Amino acid sequence: MSTSPDDASDTASTVAGGSRSLLDVLRVGIVMLDPRGQIILWSPTSEDILGWQGSEAIGSHLRELLDEGRPDPSTGIYRTLLREGNWRGRLPLRHKDGRRVELEARASLLRDSEGTPFILANLVEISMLRGIEQDLAALDALFTASPLGIAIFDTERRFIRVNDALSRLHGSAPEDLLGRTVLDALPPPVSQEIHELESEVLRSGRSVIDLVTDSPDGLGAWSLSFGRLTDRMGRTLGVSCTVMDVTERRVALGKIERAQERLTLLNDVGTALGNLLDVNRIAESLAQMLVPRFADYAVVGLLRPVADGEELPPPAALPTTPLVRIGVAAKQRTAAAEAMMGG
């Protein structure tokens, strides 16, 4: 007969509408042996891995499933179990179709209520196990080597993992952040904004990409991206966050925007003044064009002789030549503004 210790995971998959969990991908087979090496339990996952039905495997000796030409390791494994209580190693077994299947095996020596020993072993395909180990190693390497700050939050929006880059950006050791929320770790209003974003991403599942906000110290800028984390069965695990310091990018963009604004202003001034001939109208229009796009207050002044239609004074006389105000504009006409503009 065949027992079903894997029924729980099968049931979970069925409830989730056929979604697969990590245990389904790994396919962990369970085998139980008596002290003589005879199989007394053979799980359905073991059937999937090796092709032998429970009715075929139970009652047979483990050596009968060994890949042909391989020495029988049963005696050595049993001695290790008696000495240490557990054993781990590679176990090449023969699939029902004749091909060899390399397995990673872990065995433990157990005893029943009467003291009779038996062996409980877990079998995992090495190819599957190595693939997952490589994926995890790649993720770990990305997490530790990335120049971006990376944080993982649980469903309660608490830090559960941060990398060194994020610690440097925040100026705190990782252990000072773990278990806390951004409300605890960052100052308002940045913390409240991020906290609300995390809640929305958890609720909707919609990612947020390249949201630029002020850094906590208010002196720089961060680019934030958020995504919801789910397992293979679609259950929400938390939120991931990447952080990039974009202070230099924002400063550069600000300089470009200001340069473009000034070029546009010069173009608009040229267009507005191009058809004017009267000096007073030119001065007044120029002052109006400058406020508030370039300044809050503007005064256009000319040397008195020029304003009166006379020739420009010689250079030696310029320091003592009075100026006359002929164009004025202010964002707000107040007594202080009038005094500053010479009114």
Side-chain angles (χ1 to χ4, degrees):
M1 84 185 229
S2 172
T3 59
S4 305
D6 302 295
D7 285 348
S9 62
D10 292 340
T11 301
S13 295
T14 301
V15 171
S19 298
R20 304 175 68 198
S21 70
L22 184 59
L23 288 178
D24 295 316
V25 176
L26 277 175
R27 299 204 302 177
V28 180
I30 298 177
V31 179
M32 190 178 293
L33 310 170
D34 66 14
R36 296 170 297 175
Q38 285 189 320
I39 298 171
I40 58 176
L41 183 145
W42 188 259
S43 74
T45 307
S46 300
E47 297 177 2
D48 295 338
I49 295 173
L50 293 167
W52 303 97
Q53 299 298 310
S55 57
E56 299 172 304
I58 292 175
S60 61
H61 197 281
L62 181 64
R63 73 170 67 94
E64 299 175 29
L65 301 182
L66 289 173
D67 189 36
E68 293 182 2
R70 295 286 181 130
D72 183 2
S74 302
T75 302
I77 292 174
Y78 192 59
R79 287 175 179 172
T80 301
L81 287 169
L82 288 174
R83 184 175 64 253
E84 301 179 8
N86 57 75
W87 175 86
R88 176 180 178 179
R90 289 194 173 193
L91 194 62
L93 297 182
R94 178 169 49 87
H95 193 277
K96 186 176 180 179
D97 62 14
R99 59 188 171 88
R100 185 177 68 183
V101 181
E102 291 283 349
L103 300 172
E104 178 89 11
R106 295 190 180 192
S108 299
L109 183 65
L110 306 176
R111 297 182 185 274
D112 62 18
S113 59
E114 298 177 356
T116 304
F118 60 92
I119 301 168
L120 182 65
N122 296 326
L123 306 176
V124 181
E125 292 176 273
I126 286 180
S127 59
M128 290 287 189
L129 184 61
R130 293 296 176 265
I132 292 177
E133 287 176 343
Q134 289 169 359
D135 289 344
L136 292 175
L139 288 174
D140 282 341
L142 177 63
F143 196 88
T144 56
S146 173
L148 300 180
I150 304 175
I152 306 297
F153 300 87
D154 62 16
T155 54
E156 299 299 321
R157 290 154 293 179
R158 295 172 299 204
F159 287 96
I160 58 175
R161 189 176 182 185
V162 297
N163 69 347
D164 291 340
L166 183 67
S167 296
R168 289 191 296 270
L169 280 173
H170 189 269
S172 300
E175 55 270 21
D176 294 334
L177 296 175
L178 299 182
R180 305 170 68 191
T181 70
V182 292
L183 295 176
D184 304 320
L186 299 177
V190 174
S191 59
Q192 188 62 42
E193 179 184 10
I194 295 176
H195 191 72
E196 292 174 359
L197 276 174
E198 290 175 329
S199 300
E200 176 61 23
V201 171
L202 275 173
R203 185 191 64 80
S204 67
R206 291 192 296 270
S207 298
V208 175
I209 307 297
D210 195 23
L211 172 69
V212 178
T213 185
D214 290 334
S215 59
D217 60 11
L219 302 178
W222 285 1
S223 169
L224 308 176
S225 297
F226 297 89
R228 187 168 70 181
L229 297 175
T230 58
D231 63 13
R232 292 174 177 267
M233 299 176 68
R235 294 174 299 193
T236 300
L237 301 178
V239 177
S240 66
C241 173
T242 58
V243 183
M244 179 188 300
D245 188 340
V246 294
T247 303
E248 293 183 359
R249 185 179 80 180
R250 189 164 74 171
V251 170
L253 287 175
K255 291 180 179 179
I256 292 173
E257 289 175 358
R258 288 193 294 273
Q260 290 175 336
E261 290 172 357
R262 291 179 180 181
L263 287 173
T264 301
L265 176 60
L266 288 174
N267 182 67
D268 292 344
V269 168
T271 301
L273 305 184
N275 296 324
L276 298 179
L277 298 177
D278 181 73
V279 67
N280 292 301
R281 290 185 59 192
I282 291 175
E284 193 66 32
S285 296
L286 177 58
Q288 296 293 333
M289 291 290 296
L290 294 176
V291 177
R293 293 169 62 181
F294 184 75
D296 292 335
Y297 311 97
V299 176
V300 178
L302 286 179
L303 295 171
R304 169 71 69 180
V306 176
D308 294 338
E310 301 175 6
E311 295 294 328
L312 185 69
L318 290 179
T320 58
T321 303
L323 285 173
V324 58
R325 185 184 66 178
I326 60 174
V328 176
K331 189 175 181 179
Q332 290 184 324
R333 300 301 292 261
T334 63
E338 291 292 340
M340 183 173 57
M341 293 185 295

